[in-house]
Amino acid sequence: QVCHALRTPQLPVWLCGICGRHGILFGTDSQLLSDWRRERLFQLYFYSGQREQARTARLTVDTHSHPWEEGQGEDLSTPGKRRPSLEMAIRTKWAGATVSWDGTDPFF
């Protein structure tokens, strides 16, 4: 029998399958998904266990950023302007959010 805590996690956690690789995206704020005010600016962590990842990546997600802050008229189809797949996965939950990798080079 599965205990209650396994059916309803205490912290927000997502298992991700991105580009054929798997990882875990999680937050340390237990109220992130139950209190909409917490979804303004928050931290998420990502770990994939891949060789290229030396430590857990800390990401800052801002759901109230403005599209003009990223640069107008960016052509995201050119390779240098594309967003990492992990950022696009985060945007499936928080559309339009900006993701800062907090000094870590985007690797996923």
Side-chain angles (χ1 to χ4, degrees):
Q1 183 172 345
V2 177
C3 74
H4 176 72
L6 290 176
R7 290 180 290 185
T8 308
Q10 298 291 321
L11 298 171
V13 60
W14 297 271
L15 297 175
C16 303
I18 303 170
C19 300
R21 295 190 290 175
H22 296 87
I24 184 166
L25 182 67
F26 62 96
T28 57
D29 184 357
S30 62
Q31 294 183 352
L32 180 60
L33 299 178
S34 61
D35 184 0
W36 62 270
R37 292 171 293 219
R38 301 279 185 146
E39 291 187 357
R40 163 67 173 90
L41 183 67
F42 56 93
Q43 304 281 318
L44 290 178
Y45 300 88
F46 181 76
Y47 184 73
S48 68
Q50 300 291 324
R51 280 182 281 160
E52 65 270 12
Q53 185 179 7
R55 60 186 174 88
T56 302
R58 184 180 73 175
L59 310 169
T60 300
V61 180
D62 184 355
T63 60
H64 286 77
S65 61
H66 303 289
W68 56 84
E69 291 176 347
E70 289 190 48
Q72 289 204 345
E74 281 187 353
D75 181 14
L76 297 179
S77 63
T78 57
K81 300 287 185 174
R82 290 186 183 163
R83 298 287 179 214
S85 300
L86 182 57
E87 287 186 31
M88 300 310 291
I90 290 170
R91 289 180 181 163
T92 63
K93 170 70 176 148
W94 294 282
T98 58
V99 178
S100 170
W101 286 73
D102 295 333
T104 303
D105 289 331
F107 56 87
F108 206 87

